[in-house]
Structure formats: C-alpha cells, structure tokens
Amino acid sequence: EEENGRLERAVKHVIIAAKLGCDLAMKALWEYYKHGHVNKEDLNISLRAHQAAIDAAKSPQREAAEAFYGA
C-alpha cells in the first residue's frame, strides 16, 4: 500500500499485524512513529496488544521446544 501512495492504509495494516504479535510489524510501526505517521496513542495501544499477543502464545511446551531446538 505504501508503494502505491496509500500510506494511511499501509499504517493500518502494520498496526493490525503488530497487534497480532508480529515483531517486524512492530519495528515498522516505530519507524512510522519516528516519521510522524503514527500518533503516540496508537503506538501505545499497538505495543500493549503486541505484548499481550506474545504473552498469549507462551506455553511450557513451546518453551521446551525452543530450548531443545536452540531457537
């Protein structure tokens, strides 16, 4: 979307991905914030949702698998 000149729509897509726990999207959102394309409130909401998504995905089985495979 950004390449097609629809920056506002691109930011919305990145916010959705960040809220679902995507680290790459969260990094992109910080860049948009630095350039003034995202306000502080949206950034904070997205950051909290991102952390909640990551926390929800944690489990003892997942941690054991990561330890086993060295991820």
Side-chain angles (χ1 to χ4, degrees):
E1 295 294 342
E2 184 177 356
E3 291 175 3
N4 293 323
R6 295 186 289 262
L7 186 60
E8 186 175 321
R9 188 173 175 144
V11 169
K12 287 181 183 182
H13 284 292
V14 172
I15 287 173
I16 291 168
K19 286 180 177 182
L20 293 174
C22 178
D23 292 330
L24 187 59
M26 200 64 229
K27 289 178 184 178
L29 201 56
W30 276 104
E31 288 300 315
Y32 283 133
Y33 174 72
K34 288 178 190 176
H35 291 91
H37 301 297
V38 175
N39 63 40
K40 192 170 189 170
E41 181 181 358
D42 287 338
L43 179 67
N44 286 332
I45 290 168
S46 299
L47 184 58
R48 279 189 243 113
H50 177 264
Q51 189 60 50
I54 290 173
D55 290 343
K58 288 184 180 177
S59 71
Q61 293 86 0
R62 186 179 298 251
E63 291 172 7
E66 287 176 355
F68 180 77
Y69 291 108

